[in-house]
Amino acid sequence: MNHTEPNYRHFLMARTARTCAFFAVITALFGTMIFPFIFGGLSIIFAVLSKGNTASYQLNAKIAILVSVFAIIGNTLYSGFAIYNIAFNEEYQQQLNETFEQLYGMDMEEYTSYILSYPNTSGEN
């Protein structure tokens, strides 16, 4: 048995890793916060598994690892920047309050207190 040539399963695994990396980049560009981590992580796992017992990674696997790492880092930076703006930027908070007022009829503080309050569903007063 030759352990230096990848078989067809290794090729499919590397191609699946590349596809997941593509989805990680697309979801990171459209501003979702969770899916780039999921697709990027899956891509890295598939890329590592595609190596098997061969001497080196296939080109698709190398590309998938690189693209996934960039997607995860970019998404982390973008998410951190958004959370920082929500927490510390007064102008951004005002714009967010205006948007919440237009959409829901209440500002963000009222909205979050409404969401975090648990209604009494037991029927007791």
Side-chain angles (χ1 to χ4, degrees):
M1 179 178 238
N2 188 359
H3 291 291
T4 59
E5 284 187 30
N7 61 13
Y8 189 66
R9 287 186 206 168
H10 294 238
F11 174 74
L12 286 178
M13 193 78 70
R15 194 171 68 182
T16 303
R18 189 188 64 197
T19 304
C20 285
F22 171 75
F23 285 134
V25 169
I26 293 298
T27 55
L29 289 176
F30 287 110
T32 59
M33 292 179 136
I34 296 174
F35 290 118
F37 292 115
I38 293 170
F39 287 124
L42 284 174
S43 174
I44 292 171
I45 290 170
F46 287 140
V48 169
L49 289 176
S50 74
K51 182 180 181 240
N53 53 2
T54 58
S56 64
Y57 290 99
Q58 296 180 23
L59 181 62
N60 281 339
K62 290 178 186 177
I63 292 171
I65 290 172
L66 187 65
V67 169
S68 295
V69 166
F70 282 138
I72 289 172
I73 290 172
N75 187 54
T76 303
L77 291 175
Y78 179 76
S79 300
F81 181 71
I83 291 170
Y84 175 80
N85 276 336
I86 290 172
F88 298 111
N89 190 344
E90 295 291 330
E91 184 178 321
Y92 191 80
Q93 288 174 354
Q94 182 139 6
Q95 289 176 350
L96 197 59
N97 280 333
E98 290 173 7
T99 304
F100 266 82
E101 187 74 38
Q102 290 172 357
L103 291 174
Y104 303 113
M106 59 182 86
D107 64 357
M108 188 169 170
E109 197 171 304
E110 292 174 15
Y111 181 77
T112 53
S113 66
Y114 173 74
I115 291 296
L116 295 176
S117 67
Y118 298 105
N120 186 1
T121 57
S122 63
E124 298 176 9
N125 288 330

